[in-house]
Amino acid sequence: VQLVESGGGLVQPGGSLRLSCTTSGFTFDDNFVIGWFRQAPGKEREGVSCISRSDGSTIYVDSVKGRFTMSSDNAKKTVYLQMDSLKPEDTGVYYCAVDLDVRWIRAIAQMLPGYWGQGTQVTVSA
């Protein structure tokens, strides 16, 4: 299983970025949960959003609701995180991760990823 993130960078507050996570090594048509996590300097890693492949439902952490949108392109086996109205507190390394052992979850905390990408840096600063 491989997860490759891209799309990070430096952006001013209020700006936008779109992260991509291209996957391989597992069947994208199967049921699984895939998500985005982030880790800011000196802080623990936190779940940002996830999609349950079984029904396409998405979950977001409260701090990004209304600003971030997660989507997937099944043909490209890729998931995206559109980040708008970015704030300095969104700064961190963003990781894509997949849990192949569950079909659906009701909270990001239930996700136990078995595979992680290498991460992409997002810096929000003036």
Side-chain angles (χ1 to χ4, degrees):
V1 174
Q2 281 195 318
L3 307 171
V4 180
E5 303 98 334
S6 61
L10 172 65
V11 64
Q12 293 185 342
S16 298
L17 283 175
R18 188 177 82 154
L19 306 184
S20 300
C21 172
T22 301
T23 73
S24 62
F26 62 99
T27 304
F28 210 80
D29 289 340
D30 284 347
N31 293 319
F32 55 85
V33 177
I34 189 165
W36 289 95
F37 293 73
R38 68 185 178 188
Q39 187 165 21
K43 295 187 177 180
E44 293 187 355
R45 186 164 53 195
E46 67 167 346
V48 175
S49 67
C50 65
I51 286 179
S52 294
R53 180 68 178 85
S54 59
D55 64 357
S57 58
T58 54
I59 303 172
Y60 299 95
V61 69
D62 286 347
S63 60
V64 308
K65 285 180 180 177
R67 301 188 298 120
F68 290 12
T69 303
M70 187 174 178
S71 62
S72 68
D73 184 327
N74 296 339
K76 295 183 178 179
K77 300 182 181 181
T78 299
V79 295
Y80 304 95
L81 185 66
Q82 177 67 42
M83 306 186 295
D84 299 318
S85 302
L86 282 161
K87 304 176 181 180
E89 51 263 43
D90 295 317
T91 294
V93 179
Y94 283 68
Y95 299 90
C96 179
V98 66
D99 185 341
L100 299 177
D101 295 326
V102 294
R103 299 179 66 253
W104 179 86
I105 57 174
R106 65 175 69 248
I108 296 177
Q110 293 179 304
M111 189 177 172
L112 298 176
Y115 302 93
W116 295 82
Q118 82 287 352
T120 185
Q121 176 70 44
V122 171
T123 303
V124 185
S125 175

